[in-house]
Each structure stands twice: as structure tokens, then as C-alpha cells.
Amino acid sequence: MPPRHHQPEALLAALSTSRGRADRLTHTEHLAARQARCAPWPDGIRPEIVASAQALGIDEPWTHQAEAMKLARTGQTVVLATGTASGKSLGYLAPVLSELLEGTEARNGRGATALYLAPTKALAADQRRRAAELAPKRVRAALYDGDTPPEEREWVRQYASYVLTNPDMLHRGILPAHPRWASFLKALKYVVIDECHSYRGVFGSHVAQVLRRLRRVCARYGSSPTFLLASATTADPAATAHRLTGLPAVAVTEDGSPRGPLVFALWEPPLTENVGEQGAPVRRTATAEAGYLLTELVERGTRTVVFVRSRRSAELVALQAQDQLGRPLADRVAAYRGGYLAEERRALERDLHSGRLLGLASTSALELGVDVSGLDAVLMAGYPGTRASLWQQAGRAGREAQGALAVLIARDDPLDTYLVHHPEALFATPVEATVLDPDNPHILAPHLCAAAAELPLTEADLTLFGPSAGKLLPVLEQRGLLRQRTEGSWYWTRRERAVDSVDLRGSGGSPVQIVEASTGRLLGTVDAAAAHTTVHTGAVHLHQGRTYLVQDLDLETSVALVEPAAPPYSTSARDITSISVLATDTTVEWGEARLSFGSVEVVNQVVGYLRKRISTGEVLGESKLDLPPRTLRTRAVWWSVTEDQLLDANIPFDQLPGAAHAAEHASIGLLPLFATCDRWDIGGVSVPLHPDTGLPTVFVYDGHSGGAGFAERGFLGAEQWLTATRDAIAACECERGCPSCVQSPKCGNGNDPLDKEAAVRLLDILLAGAPGRAADRP
Ligand SMILES: [Zn+2]
Ligand SMILES: [Zn+2]
């Protein structure tokens, strides 16, 4: 390879000065290099493993790996929460494989077993390869997932000592059939939970209950495995690991791996001539901007990955760059869309490492399954949702000695806008906590049933399942799901399998199946809760990165018939929502204003949808729909101000609906900064005069039955959250509100009315009484 010129500072200067782009660069952060720190191999790591590691070029582990190994060998629940490419796998594989090797000396050759759980199949497949590199052949590692043929499954149950699977398979396949796994479970010494930060919200809460069921079944066979968790860097990983496993955990967070210097730039695409909803100005899309930047980086021979949100965008970015580059450079740019076979992924890795491939546009599927560390530059087209994934993606840039460039390109929404103008929210703020709420009765109830079907439930089990369990049992008995045969012992009474009523990745209600009309092929499912807004007749639906047009949504059979299509527009549902307070858990007073957290009932009806041009956001037309209303009982945070405060803030009653609506939108956009949720996981309602509070009130609620912990986060961090919301609105340079500040892509009301300026005044008067502000006052 000829030497390349990719000094990150020089690259960034070139990008930002060409074509008058200086004002698009909103911030540059310089992150210093970190030296490697190593430690000797701890006691208890077998010489065979050390030898294989050394053959792979790892003479000694980094300090965090050694620390995790040491704790794991003492049977301590440990969570290893360090950066991308910091070798977390070695940290848990070395102790696990050592134990399994010792187990091979047992009479049946399987004196010790271990279970590995990953959120995706691709990741589990990768892990098997890594385990095979480190362990002698005597350790039998095997995949056990939906693709494992039946004849092989029997072999895995009988002989494998390291079983790699996913939580769904543990829930549906392994636990209900535990007697067939008896010898494996009896010898179970370790459970590895990889990428554990991805178990958040409803999915995470389900997984937490599956792990409790696993622990209970293990206890029945006399084993008590040690849990080893690997996580991206998150806030308080020990607390999350505790919530997930139910066991006290020790966190290892001091990263001993080396890192080259990183220049991290924040970038805001320019406003265009195009006009969106309510005549608002529209920015150039982050993907289009990424296409331009990728072109220039490839021209300079810079190895670059662009992270985008969908397969379609990956293709668009790659195509745009190829067009602009022309031959022969165009051949050195590709799109990666996930779902590739292992060999294809390996080929891609090789091409990137060798430099044959210079530019790759990819969905974040790349985060799971392809090793592309050591790049010269990473572009992120849009904030990936959490600081944890931001650092994971940025971490792909940089090799030990050389510097690298990372650029976050803002999308046209309030959170991205806020971030590129508030670098401290990215660089001086710890990553967010992974939020989950396993105690949600809607989630717990079906797992209690599944547990009772696995082994009769006893009083002694209740502490394992948390404080709500005791209260739920009589309810489940009443519903005829569980029966007490002997005092203090509950049985599953139904003929059907208890586990079939729970989809770990769903949120209750029978999910709607997405079926390709021409082939009858089942493409996947969407939650019942989301079906009306995402797969109504006429909707453009994105499924695993591909676009489809919904031909018909049949609610009777819960089927949406779709056809692949690439219309030049996206759709967004219009709806009507009302909310009532069922119970208030906590209220705090902020001066005259009040902030509350509690249970609510949300009634929502989708009444139509808009078609918007993808490239510009321009509204092309509107269609009506005839769908029944849906009721959701969930948790919410809400705040209200008094009429006197409105007078003080100079907000006349006719401006109030627009002010509250704008504040609601922006606050939903900003909540993901404080909780690991997506703006699609939460909803909001703003009411000028709410019957339950008697005051102007803004509600933000969890979009899942029973709640998922997000609204609670908002309540607990309300002052920072609403201050950030206020600042995001105030900072936007648009005149009367735009998608970067107060407009929402999921507004059921066509973004009308919205009053940006009055929203700032409304939030100011609310925050004036907040405890932090009050303390600042003279
Ligand atoms: Zn704006
Ligand atoms: Zn709205």
C-alpha cells in the first residue's frame, strides 16, 4: 500500500473548507490517545488457553481482561463494560474455556458446561469461531438457534459443553424442555450475556425474567452458574447487570486497551430551499450529506465507514458516492446491509483491512458481526440513539499509533440538533443508563405462568421474581391460568404452552404478521400496539431495512399483506389521542408548577396518514383510514402550570395549545438523551385544560403496556431533561419551528398547532421553580 494522507486534522480541515462548508462544522473535539496496560495471566486460566492466546499474538491480557478473568474464576457475577475493540470476549472466554477444559476430565467428558447468550444469531456464530480459536478441540462448542437442524439439536443437548444461543431460544426452546437438558444444566458453571446493553426497555425486562427462570431451573438441578456480562460502556453497568440477572454484580470499567488519538467532529447539514409540513424549512438529509463527505474521503484514499439507519439509506449513500466518484474509484465503495453469510462478512472484513475497499455504507448491523476496527474515518449519518452506540460506532475508527476521524452528521430532528450544538452532552456526559423494568406486571405475569409450567411455583420462588410476583399470583389464579393444587404451590393449568403467549421482543397483544402477498412468505411481525401506525393499509413499511408497501391490514386475522416497493415517499399516520390519570404515584412542586409520575390510560385512534416525499419531506397528500380506537394502560410523567404562571410568561390562551404541543414534541425528542429509548418508544399528549389536573398539562408516556421505565427516567431527571428541551428549541435558527426543533415525524396532528417561541417561554416559567434553578437564585 502506498502511504496515505489521512491525518485527521488535515482531513477535517479539507472537508470543512471546501465549498464554503465552514459553518457546518459546529464543534471539534480532540480525544487523546491511551497507552496499553497489561497484566499477567491470572491463576486459574489454563496453560492451553494461554498458549492459544499467545499463538494469536496476545502475550498478556490487558488489565481489564485480567481483572474480569480473576473475578469470574472466583464465581463473582461480573460485568465487563469497556469500549469497542477492547477484547471483552477474551475476558470471559478465558475463564469459561478453562473451566470447560477442566470439565473434559470428568468421567462423562462433560463435567462443566457454559451457556452463551447474544441478541443476534450472527453474533453467536462469530463467538463460536472465537471460542474455537482459543480452545482445544476437546471443548465442544455448538450453536443452538432456530436454524439448528433437529438431528443436530439432540447432539447439542447430549454432548456440547459450550452452547451458543439467544434469549428467545432459551425462553421458547430450552427452558420449557429442561428435562431434556438435565445433564447440561446440572453441569452449568457459567452463563455469558454478551452485548447486554441491548437488553433494554420491554425486551430487556423480558430477558431479565427469562434469566430468573433459568436460575430457578438450574437450582432444581443443583447448579448455580456464575453470570458474566459484556457491555458497551454505559452508566452504572453494575446496577444494570443486577437488574438484568437479579444478582449483585461487580463492574470492570477501567479500559486497559490502547487507543489512538481521535478527532471527533459534529456536523450540521445546511437548510435547503425545500419546504416541509406547515411550510417549515428542511435541512439536507444526513444521508445525502454523508454521501458527499464519503466521496471526498474516498478521493483522498481514506478508509471510511458510514453508519446509517436503514438498508435503503446504506444503498443510497453508496450509490451517491459511486456516482460522484466515477470509475475506477466507484468500485471501491460498497453497501453493507446486514443479513450476510459468515463467508461474505469475512470477505468484506478482508477487503476493508487490505484497503481494496475504501468506502462502506452500512446499517448498524455491522456493530454486530463484522470486525471493521482500524479505519481512518467513521461517519455517522444521524445520532445512533444512545451515547453507548455512538462510542461503539466511533470506536471503529483508529489504530494504535495513527489518529482517526469521526464525524456525527445531524439529522433533521431536535435531538440531533441539540447534540451538535451542545458537545458537552456527548463529550462531558457519562453514557446513559440502560433502562429496564422487569417488575412491570404486564411483563412478569406471562413469565410466572411459564415458570409454573416449567416447575410448580412455590412461595420461596417469589422473591426471585421480584416484589410484584406475590400480588400477581391471585390474579393469575382468578384468570384460570394457574391453580393451587397443594397449599403454596401453583401449577399451569392450560393445554397450550405457556411460553407461546410471550414474544420477548414484543409488548403484548397478538402481534401482526407481515406477509408478502405474492409469495405468502412471512417476513416478520410488528407489535399489536404499533400495527395501526406502522402497517395500516397504504403505509410504507420499513422492515429490517427493506421497504414495502402495505396492501391491506386485516385486524381480524392480524395480518398485513405487503409487497416490496420503493415509492418516492414515506408515510406518517395521523391520530387522535386522549389520556386520563389512573393513579398518581409521586408529585413534586416546582414553585406553582407541579410535576407528577404515575399510571395513565391512553386512548388512541389512527384516522389517516400523510405521504411525504423522501428527499425533501414535502407533503404529497393525505388519505383517511377507518381503524378502531386502542387503549393502553401505561406509566407517564406529566407537568402542569397555573393560569397565573401563563400570565407571567405572557402566553395568552390562544397561544397555549401551540406552546404546550411544541414543548411536548421537543421533550419527546430529547428524552432519549437521558434514557436508552427511542423517540418511537414513547408518546405524548398536551392539553390546554386537562380534566384530571384542571390545568394546562403535558404528558409523556411509555408506549408499552405497563411501562418500560422511560417515563420514570424522565421524571427522575426532569430538570436536566426539560432544560435540554428548552435549550434545543431556543437554539434552533429556524423562524417558526422545523423538524430540528419542535416538529415531530410521528405527530398525529400534522404538526399543528406549534408555537416555538411560546414553548420556550412556557418551559422557562416551568423551570423557574425547579429545585436546581431555585438554588441558583440570589
Ligand atoms: Zn427549528
Ligand atoms: Zn404532535
Side-chain angles (χ1 to χ4, degrees):
M1 285 292 300
R4 283 162 304 154
H5 302 286
H6 54 252
Q7 273 299 315
E9 283 86 358
L11 271 183
L12 184 60
L15 289 180
S16 57
T17 48
S18 76
R19 303 181 202 179
R21 288 189 189 133
D23 55 341
R24 301 189 200 167
L25 178 66
T26 59
H27 179 80
T28 310
E29 186 84 10
H30 295 266
L31 297 141
R34 186 177 59 213
Q35 298 297 317
R37 282 177 301 137
C38 292
W41 292 92
D43 292 343
I45 304 303
R46 296 268 298 212
E48 296 94 322
I49 307 293
V50 174
S52 327
Q54 287 171 340
L56 292 170
I58 305 162
D59 282 335
E60 275 194 333
W62 289 316
T63 44
H64 62 278
Q65 293 171 321
E67 178 70 14
M69 292 174 197
K70 215 185 296 173
L71 289 163
R73 286 306 263 160
T74 63
Q76 170 65 55
T77 303
V78 47
V79 53
L80 186 50
T82 51
T84 317
S86 64
K88 288 186 282 264
S89 329
L90 182 66
Y92 56 75
L93 272 174
V96 167
L97 296 174
S98 295
E99 180 84 38
L100 297 180
L101 262 180
E102 275 153 30
T104 59
E105 284 146 26
R107 209 141 41 91
N108 67 356
R110 196 162 74 153
T113 60
L115 185 67
Y116 168 94
L117 298 173
T120 66
K121 285 185 213 164
L123 189 60
D126 257 37
Q127 281 297 311
R128 184 175 62 165
R129 188 173 55 102
R130 291 207 186 173
E133 281 172 356
L134 275 177
K137 288 233 159 30
R138 279 182 289 158
V139 173
R140 292 182 297 245
L143 289 171
Y144 192 84
D145 59 34
D147 299 339
T148 312
E151 61 280 10
E152 216 173 293
R153 293 188 180 195
E154 184 54 27
W155 183 91
V156 175
R157 285 192 288 264
Q158 294 306 321
Y159 303 107
S161 52
Y162 192 32
V163 172
L164 301 105
T165 186
N166 51 62
D168 314 73
M169 202 62 186
L170 176 60
H171 161 69
R172 269 185 295 111
I174 299 177
L175 288 173
H178 64 87
R180 304 166 78 181
W181 288 85
S183 76
F184 177 85
L185 292 170
K186 212 175 271 179
L188 191 60
K189 295 293 188 297
Y190 285 110
V191 177
V192 176
I193 305 174
D194 203 359
E195 301 280 329
C196 72
H197 55 276
S198 55
Y199 303 127
R200 62 168 188 88
V202 170
F203 179 40
S205 309
H206 276 299
V207 172
Q209 293 299 351
V210 173
L211 294 175
R212 280 156 181 76
R213 281 163 48 204
L214 171 66
R215 286 174 49 209
R216 195 175 77 108
V217 167
C218 283
R220 160 76 174 68
Y221 292 104
S223 63
S224 161
T226 300
F227 285 75
L228 308 179
L229 300 93
S231 169
T233 44
T234 60
D236 210 354
T240 306
H242 187 181
R243 253 189 166 180
L244 196 59
T245 60
L247 296 163
V250 172
V252 175
T253 55
E254 281 289 316
D255 197 330
S257 67
R259 187 183 64 191
L262 182 68
V263 173
F264 203 133
L266 304 182
W267 191 278
E268 186 172 47
L271 288 171
T272 62
E273 300 292 302
N274 298 317
V275 169
E277 255 179 355
Q278 311 297 336
V282 180
R283 284 186 196 280
R284 177 181 294 156
T285 62
T287 44
E289 189 79 347
Y292 287 113
L293 297 183
L294 176 63
T295 304
E296 291 190 25
L297 288 167
V298 168
E299 276 170 350
R300 294 185 157 79
T302 310
R303 273 187 276 178
T304 308
V305 163
V306 185
F307 286 108
V308 293
R309 300 276 275 213
S310 70
R311 291 186 191 190
R312 180 120 184 251
S313 308
E315 272 156 18
L316 287 176
V317 169
L319 272 177
Q320 186 192 335
Q322 286 164 343
D323 263 9
Q324 288 159 356
L325 286 164
R327 299 239 154 181
L329 272 179
D331 295 337
R332 298 175 71 183
V333 173
Y336 175 76
R337 303 175 310 273
Y340 284 20
L341 299 173
E343 307 82 77
E344 296 173 305
R345 288 188 276 130
R346 296 291 90 76
L348 204 68
E349 284 175 10
R350 276 197 306 276
D351 285 349
L352 266 176
H353 282 289
S354 71
R356 196 203 70 73
L357 202 56
L358 280 173
L360 183 69
S362 170
T363 56
S364 62
L366 198 71
E367 274 182 48
L368 302 173
V370 183
D371 176 18
V372 292
S373 43
L375 297 164
D376 303 324
V378 166
L379 305 177
M380 289 168 270
Y383 180 57
T386 61
R387 285 181 292 268
S389 11
L390 179 87
W391 290 115
Q392 228 177 9
Q393 296 187 348
R396 302 293 178 177
R399 273 158 297 171
E400 281 182 39
Q402 287 155 304
L405 175 67
V407 184
L408 170 63
I409 305 165
R411 268 179 311 167
D412 208 359
D413 78 31
L415 181 55
D416 284 32
T417 308
Y418 177 82
L419 291 171
V420 294
H421 291 286
H422 290 80
E424 74 283 358
L426 291 174
F427 302 113
T429 312
V431 279
E432 52 284 271
T434 306
V435 175
L436 61 149
D437 181 13
D439 210 31
N440 174 344
H442 294 263
I443 287 165
L444 176 56
H447 289 286
L448 284 177
C449 293
E454 282 149 16
L455 295 165
L457 267 177
T458 64
E459 301 268 0
D461 292 326
L462 297 184
T463 41
L464 177 68
F465 289 103
S468 301
K471 282 176 264 168
L472 272 174
L473 283 180
V475 180
L476 296 172
E477 245 185 302
Q478 229 169 25
R479 281 194 224 152
L481 296 170
L482 298 184
R483 194 179 337 140
Q484 240 185 121
R485 274 202 214 143
T486 48
E487 182 66 26
S489 173
W490 288 266
Y491 293 77
W492 172 247
T493 60
R494 302 291 185 93
R495 206 173 270 246
E496 63 269 25
R497 287 174 11 124
V499 290
D500 289 341
S501 68
V502 205
D503 171 8
L504 301 191
R505 297 172 200 251
S507 64
S510 69
V512 169
Q513 300 190 304
I514 305 172
V515 175
E516 196 170 48
S518 56
T519 60
R521 198 161 63 96
L522 176 66
L523 300 173
T525 58
V526 289
D527 282 1
H532 291 199
T533 40
T534 58
V535 293
H536 58 76
T537 304
V540 174
H541 182 64
L542 206 62
H543 186 75
Q544 296 191 342
R546 291 173 204 270
T547 36
Y548 296 88
L549 198 59
V550 180
Q551 299 182 326
D552 182 48
L553 169 63
D554 185 343
L555 293 172
E556 299 262 295
T557 54
S558 291
V559 168
L561 286 176
V562 304
E563 273 306 328
Y569 58 86
S570 62
T571 52
S572 63
R574 306 283 305 262
D575 61 15
I576 307 171
T577 307
S578 65
I579 192 164
S580 50
V581 175
L582 299 176
T584 307
D585 288 14
T586 329
T587 294
V588 291
E589 297 193 354
W590 283 5
E592 282 179 49
R594 301 169 70 113
L595 184 84
S596 305
F597 173 68
S599 300
V600 294
E601 184 175 272
V602 183
V603 179
N604 173 273
Q605 184 172 20
V606 173
V607 293
Y609 64 95
L610 293 178
R611 291 184 303 281
K612 292 187 207 165
R613 194 187 296 283
I614 294 173
S615 50
T616 62
E618 182 193 344
V619 177
L620 300 173
E622 182 173 357
S623 308
K624 292 219 173 332
L625 290 167
D626 182 24
L627 288 163
R630 291 182 51 87
T631 301
L632 169 74
R633 290 193 167 201
T634 184
R635 312 281 277 161
V637 51
W638 63 92
W639 50 269
S640 19
V641 294
T642 62
E643 265 138 52
D644 285 348
Q645 286 184 301
L646 290 178
L647 279 177
D648 287 348
N650 194 17
I651 301 174
F653 199 77
D654 61 338
Q655 280 183 13
L656 178 60
H661 189 199
E664 171 219 319
H665 276 185
S667 70
I668 291 174
L670 269 293
L671 185 56
L673 196 55
F674 301 89
T676 50
C677 62
D678 197 277
R679 77 190 282 168
W680 303 89
D681 287 333
I682 41 186
V685 182
S686 51
V687 194
L689 186 65
H690 193 272
D692 295 326
T693 59
L695 292 168
T697 308
V698 174
F699 293 85
V700 172
Y701 58 86
D702 285 348
H704 306 280
S705 290
F710 305 132
E712 186 181 8
R713 274 276 141 181
F715 177 76
L716 295 172
E719 190 166 350
Q720 296 97 304
W721 169 40
L722 294 168
T723 304
T725 302
R726 183 240 169 252
D727 292 350
I729 304 174
C732 188
E733 75 232 47
C734 73
E735 219 170 298
R736 286 181 303 116
C738 73
S740 300
C741 56
V742 297
Q743 289 196 340
S744 161
K746 52 177 277 196
C747 181
N749 228 11
N751 282 303
D752 181 51
L754 289 175
D755 190 327
K756 179 183 165 183
E757 282 179 6
V760 173
R761 293 202 299 278
L762 178 64
L763 287 162
D764 273 336
I765 201 86
L766 167 73
L767 286 159
R773 298 292 181 90
D776 287 344
R777 258 183 252 136

